[in-house]
Amino acid sequence: MSDISAVLSTLDQNLDASLERLFALLSIRSISTDPAFADECRKAGNWLVEDLKSIGFDASLRETPGHPMVVAHHDGEGPHVLFYGHYDVQPVDPLDLWEDDPFEPALKEVEPGRKIITGRGSSDDKGQLMTFVEACRAYKAVHGKLPCKISILFEGEEESGSPSLKPFLQAHAEELKADFALVCDTAMWDRETPAICVGLRGLVGEEITVKAADRDLHSGFFGGAAANPIRILSKILADIHDEDGRVTIPGFYDGVEETPDDVLESWKALGQGASEMLGPIGLSELSGEKGRTALELVWARPTAEFNGIEGGYTGEGFKTVIPAEAYAKVSFRLVHSQDPDQIRASFRKFVEERIPSDCSVEFHPHGGSPAIQLSYTSPLVTTAQTALSEEWNTQAVTIAMGGSIPIVGDFQRLLGMDSLLVGFGLSDDRIHSPNEKYELSSFHKGQRSWARILDALAKNGV
Amino acid sequence: MSDISAVLSTLDQNLDASLERLFALLSIRSISTDPAFADECRKAGNWLVEDLKSIGFDASLRETPGHPMVVAHHDGEGPHVLFYGHYDVQPVDPLDLWEDDPFEPALKEVEPGRKIITGRGSSDDKGQLMTFVEACRAYKAVHGKLPCKISILFEGEEESGSPSLKPFLQAHAEELKADFALVCDTAMWDRETPAICVGLRGLVGEEITVKAADRDLHSGFFGGAAANPIRILSKILADIHDEDGRVTIPGFYDGVEETPDDVLESWKALGQGASEMLGPIGLSELSGEKGRTALELVWARPTAEFNGIEGGYTGEGFKTVIPAEAYAKVSFRLVHSQDPDQIRASFRKFVEERIPSDCSVEFHPHGGSPAIQLSYTSPLVTTAQTALSEEWNTQAVTIAMGGSIPIVGDFQRLLGMDSLLVGFGLSDDRIHSPNEKYELSSFHKGQRSWARILDALAKNGV
């Protein structure tokens, strides 16, 4: 089998050249939400096609109703991987808040020994996707081949809701299906610690409207006799959590697994406790299930959240009214194998059981998606974890995210592929904001990380 | 002592003349809220002054910053009573909904043996106050004196918030203070059954705002870890009532008395059960304290009502936000001797005990007034009840009202006077609406009722 060290030293020697290529890509104004930049999006796509061809990929631009996709394939032994990234970027306004032109990327030394790459898309996602491309380029240069069979999908609509993505995946399932996907659109834990995201919470949204009398009532004439929908709604919401912060809806925890102790230990070691997480927003007490750490609560536990509520008189002053109805917007964050449909059904039953016989309730669904949960100990994860740990000289952590990344769910549902989420962004990269940047160390060691990961995946026959 | 039958027959003989006088008063456009009718208000006041003088009252028009008051006095043996009424009326728009000119009163036979008096103010309150004036006129005509020492106060701003009333009462407390007040601005139970209102619920209004994080949060990143003010608020509101519909705030029921059994029996006999009260508004179940009748709940029991609530995202669609704050408008209807200040303090303590240590709550008070509760068995009430029962040939009922009549509280607080609330209006009189009317039977038997009540109060030395 091949030796990775030659590939790594090649990456080191070619860092300046790789920066020139990245800057060329960053200088293209591929803002996907603004039709005025449609040509720039296409230009970015074409630039990537040509660059991938130069490495030996069979690359082409694929039309969609929106911005085109970049699809590329390269033969190889070992597993077949599909790498995903997006070449489109967020708008740059307010422009006057930028210290440098967002489309004139530059390398800046912000402190001795620390350099950053400035410009829109440097971190989200052009800089990240190029770490993978550069890894392929170096490996190919050294060995004349790639360690795995590699397919690449670069999207041009990620920052505008990915309207063309699902149809494209469905139409090209056969072509794009691989053993697993590699997604480089996430962040490291901190500047020194690489991370693999193995869990993404799912979401179920419901709007409930409780209806009582057929009109608003005067509380003087009916107070104490007629049903008050705000009271009914408050009771329902209050019943959803018990004293220990657990959700009381029957069957809610079906499919929820306990996080492995060693994972919990590794999260504790990250030092992100209640005060670290809540202090910056003016809070100090964990409000969720008792006996769980802050990170476990947002990464690995399901929740019921109340996102909005309204009923009765909400203007200035006071009105002694008993309203005809009141409503609330409720959402559930799901983990592991919780079933969105079953959660929604159980919630509706839970609510209906608490509606007085002479009142009624209306439900309005607001989307539902299951959680994404990879095994913390799958060969895919442990192989990548080892490779990352070797590159960064520190234990790579397996983390989760409280939110969701739609593409990962699409890969799982439409192509039956698990995803390995490895990224080198940092929480202070200011993606979507003025003065976006990407650490040079992220770009450089990111390239080396991918080279190690691809090599290890091949060696381990994952 | 005098014989009342001669007075009653005099009232019968003079009914047409009394109608002419009422029509004269009804034809005056004394709309107090509209400055354009200020002269008409004064004209109505002067008309009453002259009419009272013709009976022998020492009557005069008293200036206020708004419309003038009519104050009159007449010596007499027996108790000193202050009769209250108001000569101003509601606006008449929409005029096109009136079948007849609101200021051209008429007598109409609506069915064989049933006549009504049409016109704005016929029931509220010109027709009602004239029942008392006519009773005085007839008694004086027959006996050359009045059975009691009688003072009269006619207000001209009742339909526009009575801005001048309190200052006027305070400035003329000595002159206006009597043994008790007679207020003729309420309704009968039904066309055949006279009623005395002995209870008016008080009110405490409070707005609470629960504050958690110092900004709105993304429920993906903080859901399950950060406090949610909607959840905190819902729990607080839900805790206010127990399973039996009782209010759980410590000390809330201090000063609340049980309604006498015979009174409850008389209310049951009125046949206003849950279905009769709630059916018309689309409900059927009593929501208040279990084991109480519909009328007891709204007439004699205190309540906690939720009049408004708002928090988080309340627009179209869905937003997975954990809001920084949420608020609710809560009101309490008070009975008997419940103390508004103590209720407010207990409620605030109740809320504060349920606020997590890293969250906060702000209170905004919205007024507070104690309940008015007369004894069901005081000589004042029982004497009037007997007199009314004799006149109407049916047992007069003692009722209460879920709302409040400010003047009664003012008399009690400012002049230390209890009020006897007797009125002959009906729920279908359409006061404040087009086609207001007053039953001729209300006007005629109302006159006879006051003659009997005054005579009985004097005879019983109440």
Side-chain angles (χ1 to χ4, degrees), chain A residues 215 280 285 314 317 327 329 357, chain B residues 215 280 285 314-315 317 327 329 357:
Chain A
R215 73 204 72 173
E285 289 182 12
T314 57
Y327 78 88
K329 294 175 195 268
S357 63
Chain B
R215 73 203 72 173
E285 288 182 12
T314 57
Y327 78 89
K329 295 175 195 264
S357 63

Side-chain angles (χ1 to χ4, degrees), chain A residues 40-342:
Chain A
E40 291 283 295
C41 289
R42 180 171 296 273
K43 186 176 167 188
N46 278 319
W47 187 94
L48 286 163
V49 167
E50 293 312 311
D51 192 54
L52 290 169
K53 281 181 177 170
S54 73
I55 300 173
F57 277 87
D58 172 10
S60 61
L61 204 63
R62 305 291 185 86
E63 297 305 325
T64 75
H67 302 301
M69 301 274 181
V70 172
V71 177
H73 301 288
H74 193 296
D75 283 343
E77 298 151 7
H80 180 196
V81 305
L82 172 68
F83 181 85
Y84 166 87
H86 63 92
Y87 64 75
D88 63 320
V89 299
Q90 281 274 320
V92 294
D93 47 286
L95 198 52
D96 58 343
L97 293 186
W98 286 78
E99 294 169 13
D100 311 281
D101 185 317
F103 295 108
E104 286 179 12
L107 192 64
K108 287 175 120 181
E109 181 155 37
V110 287
E111 58 193 61
R114 181 182 158 217
K115 292 180 176 174
I116 61 170
I117 299 160
T118 65
R120 172 59 87 219
S122 55
S123 176
D124 183 19
D125 182 50
K126 290 172 175 174
Q128 300 241 62
L129 69 85
M130 285 305 288
T131 59
F132 185 82
V133 173
E134 295 299 340
C136 293
R137 190 191 320 273
Y139 200 102
K140 184 75 179 290
V142 171
H143 299 290
K145 61 175 186 176
L146 294 181
C148 308
K149 178 182 179 187
I150 296 176
S151 294
I152 288 178
L153 173 65
F154 292 144
E155 178 188 8
E157 301 179 324
E158 200 272 346
E159 302 295 2
S160 51
S162 301
S164 309
L165 186 62
K166 279 186 189 178
F168 190 84
L169 291 180
Q170 284 162 323
H172 305 81
E174 273 313 300
E175 177 183 0
L176 297 172
K177 179 160 180 22
D179 297 324
F180 48 83
L182 304 177
V183 177
C184 191
D185 198 15
T186 52
M188 296 173 57
W189 172 253
D190 59 31
R191 192 166 288 116
E192 290 74 34
T193 316
I196 301 172
C197 181
V198 293
L200 297 167
R201 291 199 290 189
L203 183 69
V204 166
E206 273 288 290
E207 184 169 324
I208 61 173
T209 303
V210 176
K211 303 190 170 194
D214 59 17
R215 73 204 72 173
D216 286 358
L217 306 173
H218 186 298
S219 72
F221 303 146
F222 289 97
N228 184 324
I230 298 176
R231 177 177 156 195
I232 296 166
L233 182 60
S234 299
K235 183 73 168 65
I236 291 169
L237 297 186
D239 282 352
I240 290 175
H241 294 89
D242 67 15
E243 291 303 315
D244 298 326
R246 280 176 64 87
V247 174
T248 61
I249 298 169
F252 182 76
Y253 291 97
D254 292 355
V256 178
E257 298 150 28
E258 284 300 323
T259 304
D261 291 343
D262 57 335
V263 174
L264 290 178
E265 282 310 311
S266 69
W267 290 352
K268 286 208 183 93
L270 297 173
Q272 177 80 338
S275 55
E276 290 80 5
M277 180 185 289
L278 301 179
I281 56 170
L283 295 174
S284 61
E285 289 182 12
L286 293 175
S287 71
E289 297 172 87
K290 291 207 172 72
R292 311 269 182 184
T293 65
L295 286 180
E296 183 185 8
L297 286 171
V298 295
W299 284 353
R301 299 301 300 177
T303 69
E305 287 296 338
F306 310 141
N307 308 111
I309 189 167
E310 186 170 37
Y313 180 70
T314 57
E316 279 302 301
F318 212 84
K319 204 167 150 190
T320 52
V321 63
I322 297 177
E325 60 180 58
Y327 78 88
K329 294 175 195 268
V330 179
S331 62
F332 302 92
R333 293 278 171 182
L334 311 185
V335 300
H336 309 128
S337 58
Q338 280 179 299
D339 177 356
D341 298 331
Q342 185 247 306

